[in-house]
Amino acid sequence: MSQMELDDLTADALREFGNIGAGHAATALSVLLEGRVAMSVTDARFCPFRDIVDVVGGPEQLVAAVFIRISGEIPGNMFVLFSLGSVDRLLDQLIEPVDSREDYSDLDLSAVAEVGNILTGAYVTAISDLCNIQLNQSVPSVAIDMAAAILDIGLMMTGYDENEAILISTSLAHGQHAIDGHFFMLPDVDGTQTLLSVLRRAPEHG
Amino acid sequence: MADSSQQVRIGIAEGAVIRRAGQIVTAGLGSCVGLVLYDDVVDVAGMVHIMLPNAPKPDPIHPQKYADTAIAWLYEALLREGARPLHVKAKMAGGAQMFRNLTTEALRIGDRNVQMTTELLHGLQIPVVAEDVGGHYGRTVRFDLPTRVFSIRTARGEERQI
């Protein structure tokens, strides 16, 4: 697959962005989950949007997705994806432990949406802080279904399937539980280059 | 699974045509539409995985991506393979709205895909003999030749044949 070649500076900027966002998210989630939350970035790179389904296990893999629309200087779409195993561990801690979930209640879905909202909020804040630009996020929407079915909306809204998304994979540790989430940001049309250039310039802003 | 040599898988914004016997599969349709055109006498059929209602400009690189250019592409491909215009029928599935609390126009794209596909088929006088569209869930679909059965499977494991 054609992966955008990243020079060292950009790769570092991307990883730094990932770490700062994870830091913000860990702080916010430790309040929600009542306890220390450690968050680490396991991957930070560009990924062609159409390959995202492979990152999460293929087109038919069941995943939970939180979708948030970003407006402002770099408009685009953000997705936070969790495996169902991670979602179950999250809900066990946020609501109550359950042996197995046949289906997800409205309360479950809004809890997942809130966690997605916190994660995207952390990254929106990281971009705003690093790059000194204005971004706003929409209300989160959540869906649990086949990965390809959920993600096609992201392709439609940009109309460019060659578009590269920023992928930040994180692992969140709370007690003995590990919750793995993938965060994707897909700027509209030319936004990826804009975002890349602001991230590269970021160190100069201090 | 059927013999893999007989099975064609298509991805988003792709299309394929098969003859005699075989299957065409596309996995994880959300707001996209999986449209099948087939000849009800000659054993020839094709599928497109449509993503958007209209091509932004004529002759797009991937004609299978947009309802208007995808239907034209598929219809011509079938006729080239020996289908007869009066025998061509359609079956379709997909066009869901995956994120239900979103109401912006852009997110109702599933409905618009179905509507545009229906109108264009009507214009070509191709009857839609069966459809399974809308809702809030993804679908994996499989069309079989020579039975002409269109099988739909959802994330919850429901299966139906149309």
Side-chain angles (χ1 to χ4, degrees), chain A residues 76-125:
Chain A
N77 301 318
M78 283 188 179
F79 289 92
V80 180
L81 302 180
F82 298 104
S83 68
L84 294 194
S86 286
V87 161
D88 288 346
R89 286 191 289 277
L90 201 58
L91 292 176
D92 283 349
Q93 293 171 68
L94 278 174
I95 302 172
E96 56 177 353
V98 172
D99 284 342
S100 73
R101 286 186 174 75
E102 286 291 303
D103 204 351
Y104 294 91
S105 67
D106 287 348
L107 179 64
D108 292 340
L109 294 178
S110 58
V112 174
E114 187 47 33
V115 172
N117 198 29
I118 287 172
L119 280 169
T120 50
Y123 283 104
V124 166
T125 308

Short mmCIF file of all heavy atoms in Angstrom, two decimals, chain A residues 76-125:
data_model
loop_
_atom_site.label_atom_id
_atom_site.label_comp_id
_atom_site.label_asym_id
_atom_site.label_seq_id
_atom_site.Cartn_x
_atom_site.Cartn_y
_atom_site.Cartn_z
N GLY A 76 -12.46 18.34 9.42
CA GLY A 76 -12.25 16.93 9.09
C GLY A 76 -13.09 16.03 9.97
O GLY A 76 -13.97 16.49 10.71
N ASN A 77 -12.84 14.73 9.85
CA ASN A 77 -13.58 13.74 10.63
C ASN A 77 -12.63 13.04 11.58
O ASN A 77 -11.49 12.77 11.23
CB ASN A 77 -14.17 12.69 9.69
CG ASN A 77 -15.11 13.31 8.68
OD1 ASN A 77 -15.91 14.18 9.02
ND2 ASN A 77 -15.00 12.91 7.44
N MET A 78 -13.14 12.73 12.75
CA MET A 78 -12.36 11.94 13.69
C MET A 78 -13.14 10.70 14.05
O MET A 78 -14.36 10.76 14.25
CB MET A 78 -12.09 12.72 14.97
CG MET A 78 -11.00 13.77 14.81
SD MET A 78 -10.60 14.46 16.41
CE MET A 78 -9.30 15.61 15.92
N PHE A 79 -12.42 9.59 14.12
CA PHE A 79 -13.02 8.33 14.57
C PHE A 79 -12.17 7.78 15.71
O PHE A 79 -10.95 7.82 15.65
CB PHE A 79 -12.98 7.27 13.46
CG PHE A 79 -13.92 7.53 12.32
CD1 PHE A 79 -13.50 8.23 11.20
CD2 PHE A 79 -15.23 7.05 12.37
CE1 PHE A 79 -14.37 8.44 10.13
CE2 PHE A 79 -16.09 7.26 11.30
CZ PHE A 79 -15.66 7.95 10.18
N VAL A 80 -12.84 7.26 16.74
CA VAL A 80 -12.14 6.48 17.75
C VAL A 80 -12.73 5.07 17.64
O VAL A 80 -13.95 4.91 17.67
CB VAL A 80 -12.36 7.03 19.16
CG1 VAL A 80 -11.62 6.18 20.18
CG2 VAL A 80 -11.87 8.47 19.25
N LEU A 81 -11.87 4.09 17.45
CA LEU A 81 -12.35 2.71 17.28
C LEU A 81 -11.84 1.83 18.41
O LEU A 81 -10.66 1.89 18.77
CB LEU A 81 -11.85 2.15 15.94
CG LEU A 81 -12.25 2.91 14.67
CD1 LEU A 81 -11.68 2.22 13.45
CD2 LEU A 81 -13.75 3.00 14.55
N PHE A 82 -12.74 1.02 18.95
CA PHE A 82 -12.37 0.06 20.00
C PHE A 82 -12.80 -1.33 19.55
O PHE A 82 -13.87 -1.49 18.93
CB PHE A 82 -13.12 0.34 21.30
CG PHE A 82 -12.85 1.67 21.92
CD1 PHE A 82 -13.79 2.69 21.83
CD2 PHE A 82 -11.67 1.91 22.62
CE1 PHE A 82 -13.55 3.92 22.41
CE2 PHE A 82 -11.43 3.14 23.21
CZ PHE A 82 -12.37 4.15 23.11
N SER A 83 -12.03 -2.33 19.93
CA SER A 83 -12.50 -3.70 19.74
C SER A 83 -13.63 -3.93 20.74
O SER A 83 -13.73 -3.22 21.75
CB SER A 83 -11.36 -4.69 20.01
OG SER A 83 -11.04 -4.67 21.38
N LEU A 84 -14.48 -4.93 20.46
CA LEU A 84 -15.59 -5.19 21.39
C LEU A 84 -15.06 -5.65 22.74
O LEU A 84 -15.66 -5.36 23.78
CB LEU A 84 -16.57 -6.20 20.79
CG LEU A 84 -17.32 -5.73 19.55
CD1 LEU A 84 -18.49 -6.65 19.26
CD2 LEU A 84 -17.82 -4.29 19.67
N GLY A 85 -13.92 -6.35 22.75
CA GLY A 85 -13.31 -6.77 24.01
C GLY A 85 -12.95 -5.55 24.86
O GLY A 85 -13.22 -5.51 26.06
N SER A 86 -12.36 -4.55 24.21
CA SER A 86 -11.99 -3.34 24.93
C SER A 86 -13.23 -2.59 25.42
O SER A 86 -13.24 -2.06 26.53
CB SER A 86 -11.15 -2.42 24.04
OG SER A 86 -9.84 -2.93 23.90
N VAL A 87 -14.26 -2.55 24.59
CA VAL A 87 -15.50 -1.87 24.98
C VAL A 87 -16.11 -2.55 26.20
O VAL A 87 -16.54 -1.88 27.14
CB VAL A 87 -16.51 -1.85 23.80
CG1 VAL A 87 -17.92 -1.59 24.29
CG2 VAL A 87 -16.12 -0.78 22.81
N ASP A 88 -16.11 -3.88 26.20
CA ASP A 88 -16.69 -4.60 27.34
C ASP A 88 -15.91 -4.30 28.62
O ASP A 88 -16.51 -4.08 29.67
CB ASP A 88 -16.73 -6.11 27.06
CG ASP A 88 -17.80 -6.47 26.03
OD1 ASP A 88 -18.67 -5.61 25.76
OD2 ASP A 88 -17.77 -7.59 25.49
N ARG A 89 -14.58 -4.26 28.52
CA ARG A 89 -13.77 -3.96 29.71
C ARG A 89 -14.03 -2.53 30.19
O ARG A 89 -14.11 -2.26 31.38
CB ARG A 89 -12.29 -4.16 29.41
CG ARG A 89 -11.90 -5.64 29.32
CD ARG A 89 -10.40 -5.85 29.28
NE ARG A 89 -9.81 -5.41 28.02
CZ ARG A 89 -9.77 -6.17 26.92
NH1 ARG A 89 -10.30 -7.37 26.92
NH2 ARG A 89 -9.21 -5.72 25.82
N LEU A 90 -14.21 -1.65 29.23
CA LEU A 90 -14.49 -0.24 29.56
C LEU A 90 -15.84 -0.13 30.28
O LEU A 90 -15.96 0.53 31.31
CB LEU A 90 -14.53 0.55 28.25
CG LEU A 90 -14.33 2.05 28.27
CD1 LEU A 90 -13.00 2.41 28.91
CD2 LEU A 90 -14.36 2.56 26.83
N LEU A 91 -16.84 -0.80 29.74
CA LEU A 91 -18.19 -0.72 30.33
C LEU A 91 -18.23 -1.41 31.70
O LEU A 91 -18.94 -0.95 32.60
CB LEU A 91 -19.22 -1.32 29.38
CG LEU A 91 -19.44 -0.54 28.09
CD1 LEU A 91 -20.40 -1.28 27.17
CD2 LEU A 91 -19.97 0.87 28.37
N ASP A 92 -17.46 -2.49 31.84
CA ASP A 92 -17.39 -3.16 33.15
C ASP A 92 -16.95 -2.17 34.23
O ASP A 92 -17.40 -2.22 35.36
CB ASP A 92 -16.38 -4.32 33.12
CG ASP A 92 -16.96 -5.54 32.39
OD1 ASP A 92 -18.18 -5.55 32.12
OD2 ASP A 92 -16.19 -6.47 32.10
N GLN A 93 -16.03 -1.30 33.84
CA GLN A 93 -15.50 -0.35 34.82
C GLN A 93 -16.35 0.90 34.94
O GLN A 93 -16.48 1.47 36.01
CB GLN A 93 -14.07 0.04 34.44
CG GLN A 93 -13.12 -1.15 34.55
CD GLN A 93 -11.78 -0.84 33.96
OE1 GLN A 93 -11.04 -0.02 34.49
NE2 GLN A 93 -11.46 -1.48 32.86
N LEU A 94 -16.93 1.33 33.85
CA LEU A 94 -17.70 2.57 33.87
C LEU A 94 -19.10 2.36 34.45
O LEU A 94 -19.63 3.22 35.13
CB LEU A 94 -17.87 3.14 32.45
CG LEU A 94 -16.71 3.94 31.90
CD1 LEU A 94 -16.98 4.29 30.44
CD2 LEU A 94 -16.51 5.21 32.71
N ILE A 95 -19.71 1.22 34.16
CA ILE A 95 -21.10 1.01 34.57
C ILE A 95 -21.14 -0.11 35.61
O ILE A 95 -21.13 0.16 36.80
CB ILE A 95 -22.00 0.74 33.36
CG1 ILE A 95 -21.91 1.94 32.39
CG2 ILE A 95 -23.45 0.55 33.81
CD1 ILE A 95 -22.58 1.75 31.07
N GLU A 96 -21.13 -1.34 35.17
CA GLU A 96 -21.01 -2.43 36.12
C GLU A 96 -20.51 -3.67 35.38
O GLU A 96 -20.78 -3.84 34.19
CB GLU A 96 -22.35 -2.74 36.80
CG GLU A 96 -23.45 -3.03 35.81
CD GLU A 96 -24.76 -3.39 36.50
OE1 GLU A 96 -24.77 -3.53 37.72
OE2 GLU A 96 -25.76 -3.54 35.78
N PRO A 97 -19.78 -4.53 36.10
CA PRO A 97 -19.28 -5.73 35.43
C PRO A 97 -20.42 -6.66 35.04
O PRO A 97 -21.35 -6.87 35.81
CB PRO A 97 -18.39 -6.38 36.50
CG PRO A 97 -18.12 -5.31 37.50
CD PRO A 97 -19.31 -4.43 37.48
N VAL A 98 -20.37 -7.18 33.85
CA VAL A 98 -21.39 -8.09 33.33
C VAL A 98 -20.65 -9.29 32.74
O VAL A 98 -19.56 -9.12 32.17
CB VAL A 98 -22.22 -7.38 32.22
CG1 VAL A 98 -23.15 -8.34 31.52
CG2 VAL A 98 -23.02 -6.22 32.80
N ASP A 99 -21.20 -10.49 32.89
CA ASP A 99 -20.54 -11.68 32.36
C ASP A 99 -20.38 -11.62 30.85
O ASP A 99 -19.32 -11.81 30.31
CB ASP A 99 -21.30 -12.94 32.77
CG ASP A 99 -21.05 -13.28 34.23
OD1 ASP A 99 -20.05 -12.76 34.78
OD2 ASP A 99 -21.85 -14.03 34.81
N SER A 100 -21.49 -11.39 30.17
CA SER A 100 -21.37 -11.21 28.72
C SER A 100 -22.50 -10.30 28.26
O SER A 100 -23.59 -10.32 28.82
CB SER A 100 -21.42 -12.55 28.00
OG SER A 100 -22.74 -13.04 28.02
N ARG A 101 -22.20 -9.50 27.26
CA ARG A 101 -23.22 -8.58 26.76
C ARG A 101 -23.79 -9.11 25.47
O ARG A 101 -23.08 -9.30 24.50
CB ARG A 101 -22.60 -7.20 26.51
CG ARG A 101 -22.33 -6.45 27.79
CD ARG A 101 -21.86 -5.02 27.54
NE ARG A 101 -21.76 -4.32 28.81
CZ ARG A 101 -20.79 -4.51 29.70
NH1 ARG A 101 -19.83 -5.36 29.44
NH2 ARG A 101 -20.79 -3.86 30.83
N GLU A 102 -25.10 -9.34 25.48
CA GLU A 102 -25.78 -9.79 24.26
C GLU A 102 -25.93 -8.61 23.32
O GLU A 102 -25.77 -8.70 22.13
CB GLU A 102 -27.16 -10.35 24.59
CG GLU A 102 -27.13 -11.71 25.25
CD GLU A 102 -26.67 -12.80 24.29
OE1 GLU A 102 -27.32 -12.95 23.25
OE2 GLU A 102 -25.66 -13.47 24.58
N ASP A 103 -26.27 -7.49 23.92
CA ASP A 103 -26.52 -6.30 23.12
C ASP A 103 -26.09 -5.10 23.97
O ASP A 103 -25.84 -5.24 25.16
CB ASP A 103 -28.01 -6.21 22.78
CG ASP A 103 -28.23 -5.37 21.53
OD1 ASP A 103 -27.25 -4.75 21.06
OD2 ASP A 103 -29.37 -5.32 21.05
N TYR A 104 -26.03 -3.95 23.36
CA TYR A 104 -25.60 -2.76 24.08
C TYR A 104 -26.79 -1.84 24.32
O TYR A 104 -27.55 -1.54 23.41
CB TYR A 104 -24.50 -2.04 23.29
CG TYR A 104 -23.24 -2.87 23.21
CD1 TYR A 104 -23.04 -3.74 22.15
CD2 TYR A 104 -22.28 -2.82 24.22
CE1 TYR A 104 -21.89 -4.54 22.08
CE2 TYR A 104 -21.14 -3.60 24.17
CZ TYR A 104 -20.94 -4.45 23.10
OH TYR A 104 -19.83 -5.24 23.04
N SER A 105 -26.96 -1.42 25.58
CA SER A 105 -28.06 -0.53 25.93
C SER A 105 -27.72 0.90 25.52
O SER A 105 -26.56 1.20 25.19
CB SER A 105 -28.29 -0.58 27.44
OG SER A 105 -27.16 -0.02 28.10
N ASP A 106 -28.71 1.78 25.59
CA ASP A 106 -28.46 3.18 25.29
C ASP A 106 -27.43 3.77 26.26
O ASP A 106 -26.60 4.58 25.88
CB ASP A 106 -29.77 3.99 25.38
CG ASP A 106 -30.69 3.70 24.19
OD1 ASP A 106 -30.21 3.06 23.23
OD2 ASP A 106 -31.86 4.10 24.24
N LEU A 107 -27.51 3.32 27.52
CA LEU A 107 -26.54 3.79 28.51
C LEU A 107 -25.12 3.35 28.12
O LEU A 107 -24.18 4.14 28.19
CB LEU A 107 -26.91 3.24 29.90
CG LEU A 107 -25.95 3.65 31.03
CD1 LEU A 107 -25.99 5.15 31.25
CD2 LEU A 107 -26.32 2.91 32.32
N ASP A 108 -24.98 2.09 27.69
CA ASP A 108 -23.68 1.59 27.25
C ASP A 108 -23.15 2.46 26.10
O ASP A 108 -21.99 2.88 26.11
CB ASP A 108 -23.79 0.15 26.72
CG ASP A 108 -24.12 -0.85 27.82
OD1 ASP A 108 -23.91 -0.54 29.00
OD2 ASP A 108 -24.60 -1.95 27.47
N LEU A 109 -24.02 2.71 25.13
CA LEU A 109 -23.60 3.46 23.95
C LEU A 109 -23.19 4.88 24.33
O LEU A 109 -22.20 5.40 23.81
CB LEU A 109 -24.71 3.49 22.89
CG LEU A 109 -25.04 2.13 22.25
CD1 LEU A 109 -26.17 2.29 21.25
CD2 LEU A 109 -23.82 1.53 21.56
N SER A 110 -23.94 5.50 25.24
CA SER A 110 -23.56 6.87 25.57
C SER A 110 -22.28 6.90 26.40
O SER A 110 -21.51 7.85 26.30
CB SER A 110 -24.71 7.65 26.22
OG SER A 110 -25.13 7.02 27.37
N ALA A 111 -22.02 5.83 27.16
CA ALA A 111 -20.75 5.76 27.90
C ALA A 111 -19.58 5.65 26.90
O ALA A 111 -18.55 6.32 27.06
CB ALA A 111 -20.75 4.58 28.85
N VAL A 112 -19.75 4.82 25.88
CA VAL A 112 -18.71 4.69 24.85
C VAL A 112 -18.51 6.02 24.12
O VAL A 112 -17.38 6.46 23.88
CB VAL A 112 -19.06 3.57 23.84
CG1 VAL A 112 -18.05 3.53 22.69
CG2 VAL A 112 -19.12 2.22 24.54
N ALA A 113 -19.63 6.68 23.82
CA ALA A 113 -19.56 7.97 23.13
C ALA A 113 -18.79 8.98 23.98
O ALA A 113 -17.98 9.75 23.46
CB ALA A 113 -20.96 8.50 22.83
N GLU A 114 -19.02 8.94 25.30
CA GLU A 114 -18.35 9.90 26.17
C GLU A 114 -16.84 9.64 26.21
O GLU A 114 -16.04 10.58 26.17
CB GLU A 114 -18.96 9.83 27.58
CG GLU A 114 -18.47 10.90 28.52
CD GLU A 114 -18.45 12.31 27.93
OE1 GLU A 114 -19.33 12.63 27.10
OE2 GLU A 114 -17.55 13.10 28.28
N VAL A 115 -16.46 8.39 26.26
CA VAL A 115 -15.02 8.08 26.25
C VAL A 115 -14.39 8.52 24.92
O VAL A 115 -13.31 9.11 24.89
CB VAL A 115 -14.77 6.57 26.52
CG1 VAL A 115 -13.30 6.22 26.32
CG2 VAL A 115 -15.21 6.22 27.93
N GLY A 116 -15.10 8.28 23.82
CA GLY A 116 -14.62 8.74 22.51
C GLY A 116 -14.50 10.25 22.47
O GLY A 116 -13.55 10.81 21.92
N ASN A 117 -15.48 10.90 23.09
CA ASN A 117 -15.49 12.35 23.14
C ASN A 117 -14.27 12.87 23.90
O ASN A 117 -13.62 13.83 23.48
CB ASN A 117 -16.78 12.79 23.83
CG ASN A 117 -17.13 14.22 23.56
OD1 ASN A 117 -16.78 14.76 22.51
ND2 ASN A 117 -17.79 14.86 24.51
N ILE A 118 -13.94 12.22 25.00
CA ILE A 118 -12.79 12.63 25.81
C ILE A 118 -11.50 12.42 25.02
O ILE A 118 -10.63 13.29 24.99
CB ILE A 118 -12.76 11.83 27.14
CG1 ILE A 118 -13.87 12.34 28.05
CG2 ILE A 118 -11.39 11.94 27.81
CD1 ILE A 118 -14.07 11.51 29.30
N LEU A 119 -11.40 11.27 24.34
CA LEU A 119 -10.19 11.00 23.57
C LEU A 119 -10.01 12.01 22.43
O LEU A 119 -8.93 12.56 22.25
CB LEU A 119 -10.23 9.58 22.99
CG LEU A 119 -9.86 8.48 23.96
CD1 LEU A 119 -10.19 7.12 23.37
CD2 LEU A 119 -8.38 8.55 24.31
N THR A 120 -11.08 12.23 21.68
CA THR A 120 -10.94 13.19 20.57
C THR A 120 -10.69 14.58 21.12
O THR A 120 -9.89 15.33 20.57
CB THR A 120 -12.17 13.22 19.65
OG1 THR A 120 -13.32 13.37 20.47
CG2 THR A 120 -12.30 11.99 18.82
N GLY A 121 -11.37 14.93 22.23
CA GLY A 121 -11.17 16.23 22.86
C GLY A 121 -9.70 16.43 23.22
O GLY A 121 -9.13 17.50 23.01
N ALA A 122 -9.08 15.36 23.71
CA ALA A 122 -7.67 15.43 24.10
C ALA A 122 -6.80 15.73 22.88
O ALA A 122 -5.86 16.52 22.96
CB ALA A 122 -7.24 14.12 24.74
N TYR A 123 -7.12 15.10 21.76
CA TYR A 123 -6.32 15.34 20.55
C TYR A 123 -6.63 16.69 19.91
O TYR A 123 -5.72 17.34 19.38
CB TYR A 123 -6.48 14.17 19.56
CG TYR A 123 -5.67 12.99 20.03
CD1 TYR A 123 -6.27 11.90 20.62
CD2 TYR A 123 -4.29 13.03 19.93
CE1 TYR A 123 -5.51 10.85 21.10
CE2 TYR A 123 -3.52 11.99 20.41
CZ TYR A 123 -4.14 10.89 20.99
OH TYR A 123 -3.38 9.87 21.47
N VAL A 124 -7.87 17.10 19.98
CA VAL A 124 -8.21 18.43 19.47
C VAL A 124 -7.45 19.49 20.26
O VAL A 124 -6.85 20.41 19.70
CB VAL A 124 -9.74 18.68 19.52
CG1 VAL A 124 -10.07 20.14 19.31
CG2 VAL A 124 -10.44 17.84 18.47
N THR A 125 -7.42 19.31 21.59
CA THR A 125 -6.69 20.25 22.44
C THR A 125 -5.19 20.20 22.12
O THR A 125 -4.54 21.24 22.07
CB THR A 125 -6.91 19.89 23.93
OG1 THR A 125 -8.31 19.80 24.14
CG2 THR A 125 -6.32 20.94 24.85
#
